[in-house]
Amino acid sequence: MSLVEEFVKAIADLREKDALELVKKLIEQGVDLSTILDGIRKASDIIGRRFEEGRYFISDLIMAGEILREITEILRPIIVKEKPKKIGTVVIGTVQGDIHDIGKNIVVAVLEANGFEVIDLGVDVPPEKFVEAIRKHNPQVVGLSCLITEGIESMKKTIDAIKAAGLKEKVKIIIGGGRVDEGACKYVGADAWARDVQTGLRIIKEWVGVK
Amino acid sequence: MGGGEIDVPKVEPEELFKQRLERLERAIMLKEPDRVPIWAFCCFLPVKYLGTTYAKIAYDYEEFKKGTIKFASDFDFDTITAVPGIIGTTVLGLALIEEHPDIAPPVIRMTGPIHDILQDRYTKWPGRELSENTYPQFVGGRFMEADEYDKLADDPLTFINETLIPRVYRSLEKPSSARAYGTLIKLGTELAKLSKVTRELVMELKNKLGYPIFPRALTEVVLDIVGDFMRHPTYTIMDLYRVPDKVRNACDSLAPLATKLGIIGGQTASKLKELYGVNIVLVFIPLHLNEFLSPKLYGEFYWPYLKKLIEDIINAGFTPWIFFEGDHTPHLETLRELPKGKIIAMFERVDWKKVADIVKGHQCIMGGLPGSLLISGTPKKVEEHVKNLLELMKPGGGFILAPAEASSLDFKPENLRAAIEAVKKYGTY
Ligand code: B12
């Protein structure tokens, strides 16, 4: 097994120490950034698949998200220098009135691992903030996360504000989080909904035109 | 709602109370009642419908009482659970459980005024940190580091009292201070006010509206106590991968305290049985990290503690009311290890077919009305939903319909009405 393959396997199997050691080794050995990033993408794919097959659970996703975050931290100086091409930009946040962010943070980690530029607005984000961020960052996709039923109204308000600002034509909007469904999606006027990160990733990739 | 549409009870409150109580009791005991009971489970009252604000409900107990009465009289439920605040201070209950068991159980409640007194970092409130009409927020946080598990395991009470509490409650930051002493006195006074209003509310619900209310206590599974009040859920999960033995040791030494909180709470609540006119005393246990865990981690860090907690509470003569938050489907089989017909199992977004297969006939099942349907659905869709659900869950008894989430029900009244009508139409035996 090559070092990169070992690296992919360590991430996918959630062996934190091994994965972090291996990424350092890869850097030391001068393996280029795009190969490492490709490995991260592969690992994240395997993790997503295991989740869909019911072999991984949320706890595993949290740990995976943490490992991906730590690896990105280690790679940051190189990323800053080499500026690898991003496959798209996503503005994401937990809507106003809601502070749950565990799921959103997983989505952020997975999107970043897949080469997206992610603007994370945090939690309890008022509609104006989303509008402002869309103007500033020009994303193709906006992701709204919400875990409380109350948040459905907030998502509607947010999307209404995006429409009122004349920005709806420029972005695709996906909503996610434990309590969203088809009905909520229609009601708030989003383009899609997802109750798990893998479905969300697939939809977002489709929107930006990557497989 | 316009006055004309209200289902004014033609039956005397006394008679209604008897009917509803029997309906609920039979369902809980896995028998067929006259029809499926409806349990209004609201973490917070529907402020928009009631024409009030979150700030008023959270800070003014009279407003809370009025709101609950209005909600319970506008809609024909069988019982209602509403609190003016949120679960916020379970650790304070644990802190006192050995020295002062008589006052420990009520101390876990958190309302607006109590937040003002304690200045806790767990919660944010409308009209304070939040705008007037924002839902109160339990935000939790990380109040303990991973290298402190040993201290927690060695002596949980000392750790909670001397390390955790000063970190969480600004007013108790300096234990031997006038500020801390005053805080405790004020807390006592406020809790007395709260329990007086609660009692008045229950009596009004009973005597004027014919609503039975079961006295209730609360406790949590140890891993959730660690997640909610000490380490934050995210870090607790990571700890299971990084320092599993330390987490296990801490859970082992905290578990007896959590059990005690539930049992002493049950005993305290039992004193109200006669006044409330009911025989069942509930111990509410909301589960948080259940959904997060793989069956393997669940079997190691969660289920053994939950199972023991449930068994001890049953043996003490109370009915554990377990709220399986999130999607509990992967862990349903474990419920069959429990003695039959002794708990209320409340589900959220579970696979109902599997619940019917695995849990039905074994435990009383509750839930089934998603908040999103009440917000974004139509009366017709709601009726369809309830009809289908009842087809699955009604046969043989042991089912209670309830809004599945502790939401504030920012619902469309016509949808809730449609749900109740549907139960009356399709839910009779
Ligand atoms: C952990 C938790 C908390 C933690 C949150 C910590 C944090 N920083 O996030 C704490 C303890 C602080 C907390 C507080 C509260 N909570 Co809470 N909480 C939960 C719990 C147990 C788990 C949520 C979670 O993290 N799930 C795991 C993650 C990974 O799942 P997820 O978010 O769904 O994310 C996945 C997908 O949905 C998707 N996804 C998520 N976001 C997005 C976004 C996009 C764009 C895409 C594509 C995909 C996507 O990807 C993720 C990975 O697959 C749930 C119950 C449950 N099991 O769902 C209750 C729950 C969400 N909480 C609830 C409540 C009521 C509250 C409080 C309001 C309580 C209170 N009264 O104070 C407060 C919140 C205050 C507020 N206004 O927000 C209710 C909501 C009820 C409702 N329907 O309205 C729930 C459902 C519990 C319940 N049944 O009563 N909570």
Side-chain angles (χ1 to χ4, degrees):
Chain A
M1 208 185 328
S2 77
L3 205 57
V4 176
E5 282 166 347
E6 259 181 64
F7 172 61
V8 172
K9 196 166 178 321
I11 304 177
D13 294 346
L14 307 179
R15 282 180 285 115
E16 185 183 20
K17 268 200 198 118
D18 294 347
L20 299 185
E21 266 165 36
L22 282 161
V23 73
K24 284 177 199 154
K25 250 193 217 157
L26 288 171
I27 298 171
E28 265 166 38
Q29 298 192 358
V31 175
D32 51 288
L33 182 62
S34 65
T35 310
I36 301 179
L37 293 179
D38 205 46
I40 295 176
R41 227 168 344 254
K42 273 197 193 116
S44 135
D45 256 6
I46 301 174
I47 291 164
R49 217 171 318 125
R50 288 186 187 165
F51 184 77
E52 285 189 311
E53 289 165 7
R55 288 162 62 200
Y56 270 4
F57 290 79
I58 292 168
S59 52
D60 302 310
L61 292 185
I62 290 177
M63 202 55 220
E66 171 73 356
I67 297 173
L68 294 174
R69 194 190 61 75
E70 289 173 304
I71 292 174
T72 315
E73 270 322 299
I74 296 174
L75 290 173
R76 189 158 318 270
I78 310 176
I79 292 177
V80 169
K81 214 167 63 202
E82 299 193 11
K83 292 201 184 56
K85 202 170 145 14
K86 296 288 175 186
I87 62 170
T89 304
V90 181
V91 161
I92 194 169
T94 301
V95 294
Q96 187 163 48
D98 191 355
I99 57 94
H100 294 87
D101 66 358
I102 299 173
K104 185 212 71 195
N105 293 347
I106 293 174
V107 176
V108 171
V110 168
L111 285 173
E112 282 180 342
N114 279 276
F116 282 91
E117 163 98 45
V118 183
I119 317 294
D120 183 357
L121 302 177
V123 298
D124 200 356
V125 180
E128 320 76 88
K129 274 264 169 65
F130 278 101
V131 171
E132 211 175 282
I134 297 171
R135 288 218 172 95
K136 188 162 164 213
H137 300 283
N138 249 317
Q140 293 93 326
V141 178
V142 175
L144 308 181
S145 182
C146 138
L147 265 89
I148 59 176
T149 311
E150 290 278 294
I152 295 176
E153 278 306 324
S154 276
M155 291 196 290
K156 190 170 182 335
K157 279 189 198 136
T158 307
I159 296 176
D160 287 347
I162 295 172
K163 281 183 187 152
L167 297 168
K168 178 66 195 76
E169 304 309 313
K170 297 173 83 178
V171 295
K172 288 269 197 187
I173 302 178
I174 181 165
I175 60 171
R179 264 107 226 121
V180 305
D181 53 23
E182 184 66 43
C185 181
K186 283 217 183 91
Y187 179 74
V188 305
D191 298 303
W193 64 282
R195 241 191 239 174
D196 65 273
V197 58
Q198 211 50 19
T199 311
L201 179 66
R202 205 175 297 128
I203 295 170
I204 294 174
K205 274 182 162 176
E206 224 167 80
W207 282 348
V208 300
V210 258
K211 275 215 302 171
Chain B
M1 279 281 102
E5 295 171 49
I6 296 171
D7 246 36
V8 180
K10 310 258 172 338
V11 199
E12 288 301 309
E14 224 169 294
E15 184 52 32
L16 262 178
F17 182 88
K18 262 188 18 212
Q19 286 174 7
R20 284 170 169 155
L21 183 61
E22 192 179 336
R23 194 171 291 144
L24 287 158
E25 282 180 344
R26 288 187 71 88
I28 294 171
M29 292 183 297
L30 297 184
K31 292 182 196 148
E32 283 190 359
D34 59 339
R35 74 156 162 78
V36 169
I38 306 167
W39 192 314
F41 180 76
C42 12
C43 183
F44 235 74
L45 288 169
V47 293
K48 206 190 274 173
Y49 172 79
L50 295 170
T52 180
T53 66
Y54 283 126
K56 279 194 199 142
I57 294 270
Y59 278 90
D60 179 349
Y61 300 153
E62 283 305 320
E63 184 81 4
F64 160 72
K65 194 171 101 184
K66 234 174 55 196
T68 312
I69 297 283
K70 175 163 167 54
F71 194 40
S73 58
D74 286 1
F75 295 89
D76 188 7
F77 306 121
D78 291 299
T79 186
I80 182 165
T81 302
V83 287
I86 53 188
I87 307 161
T89 57
T90 304
V91 288
L92 269 193
L94 293 175
L96 296 175
I97 196 70
E98 292 288 352
E99 288 272 343
H100 298 285
D102 49 330
I103 57 167
V107 145
I108 62 178
R109 302 170 70 178
M110 177 70 89
T111 63
I114 294 176
H115 172 65
D116 287 357
I117 293 168
L118 288 171
Q119 294 287 311
D120 61 290
R121 292 183 162 89
Y122 286 142
T123 57
K124 294 185 180 169
W125 291 79
R128 298 294 187 271
E129 297 88 349
L130 307 170
S131 70
E132 291 277 318
N133 223 359
T134 302
Y135 202 88
Q137 300 181 345
F138 184 91
V139 293
R142 190 168 108 193
F143 300 101
M144 167 191 155
E145 295 307 313
D147 60 12
E148 291 181 306
Y149 273 114
D150 289 345
K151 265 194 356 199
L152 174 63
D154 282 350
D155 185 351
L157 280 177
T158 304
F159 182 78
I160 291 173
N161 280 305
E162 294 179 15
T163 306
L164 192 67
I165 285 178
R167 284 180 191 170
V168 172
Y169 304 91
R170 295 178 185 88
S171 302
L172 300 173
E173 237 158 38
K174 226 173 131 218
S176 340
S177 67
R179 186 176 182 203
Y181 302 144
T183 296
L184 296 175
I185 294 167
K186 282 189 190 159
L187 177 63
T189 317
E190 193 60 36
L191 284 169
K193 246 192 249 170
L194 178 58
S195 76
K196 180 167 166 280
V197 175
T198 309
R199 209 163 297 181
E200 284 167 8
L201 171 61
V202 173
M203 294 328 285
E204 222 174 299
L205 285 168
K206 174 174 184 276
N207 298 333
K208 288 202 187 137
L209 300 175
Y211 269 91
I213 305 290
F214 300 110
R216 127 187 135 250
L218 179 141
T219 188
E220 283 177 79
V221 185
V222 272
L223 198 68
D224 285 331
I225 294 176
V226 173
D228 290 347
F229 303 108
M230 299 177 179
R231 280 288 286 153
H232 188 278
T234 301
Y235 296 99
T236 307
I237 293 294
M238 294 178 195
D239 295 339
L240 297 181
Y241 293 79
R242 289 172 172 161
V243 286
D245 294 335
K246 289 188 190 297
V247 182
R248 192 177 301 106
N249 289 342
C251 285
D252 286 341
S253 46
L254 264 175
L257 297 178
T259 304
K260 204 162 175 189
L261 186 64
I263 290 179
I264 305 257
Q267 287 164 354
T268 312
S270 284
K271 295 183 189 139
L272 297 166
K273 273 200 316 201
E274 217 169 299
L275 187 67
Y276 289 12
V278 299
N279 276 315
I280 293 174
V281 172
L282 304 171
V283 178
F284 186 55
I285 310 176
L287 309 187
H288 285 160
L289 293 178
N290 55 322
E291 175 195 48
F292 287 59
L293 303 177
S294 62
K296 181 171 170 288
L297 289 176
Y298 188 78
E300 237 180 289
F301 292 95
Y302 208 93
W303 177 239
Y305 300 97
L306 175 59
K307 186 178 174 190
K308 177 87 175 41
L309 183 63
I310 290 175
E311 285 169 351
D312 289 347
I313 289 170
I314 293 172
N315 290 337
F318 313 120
T319 304
W321 168 20
I322 321 290
F323 186 10
F324 296 94
E325 291 187 13
D327 185 355
H328 200 73
T329 311
H331 313 307
L332 286 176
E333 290 284 348
T334 53
L335 290 181
R336 300 194 59 112
E337 293 169 29
L338 297 172
K340 198 169 156 169
K342 293 288 184 192
I343 70 166
I344 301 177
M346 178 168 174
F347 292 102
E348 213 198 328
R349 4 157 255 193
V350 71
D351 180 340
W352 285 94
K353 287 216 175 65
K354 289 211 172 122
V355 172
D357 277 353
I358 298 168
V359 191
K360 211 165 118 49
H362 200 75
Q363 303 298 350
C364 170
I365 296 161
M366 176 168 163
L369 203 54
S372 60
L373 186 64
L374 294 180
I375 290 184
S376 61
T378 59
K380 211 160 163 249
K381 272 198 192 140
V382 173
E383 181 179 342
E384 266 301 304
H385 172 85
V386 172
K387 181 170 178 269
N388 292 338
L389 183 73
L390 290 183
E391 250 162 46
L392 198 61
M393 301 309 299
K394 188 183 98 172
F399 180 66
I400 300 172
L401 186 91
E405 300 141 2
S407 83
S408 69
L409 283 184
D410 201 350
F411 63 99
K412 292 206 186 81
E414 63 271 25
N415 285 345
L416 185 54
R417 217 167 284 279
I420 295 170
E421 286 315 311
V423 173
K424 290 184 179 168
K425 195 160 150 196
Y426 305 108
T428 50
Y429 286 91

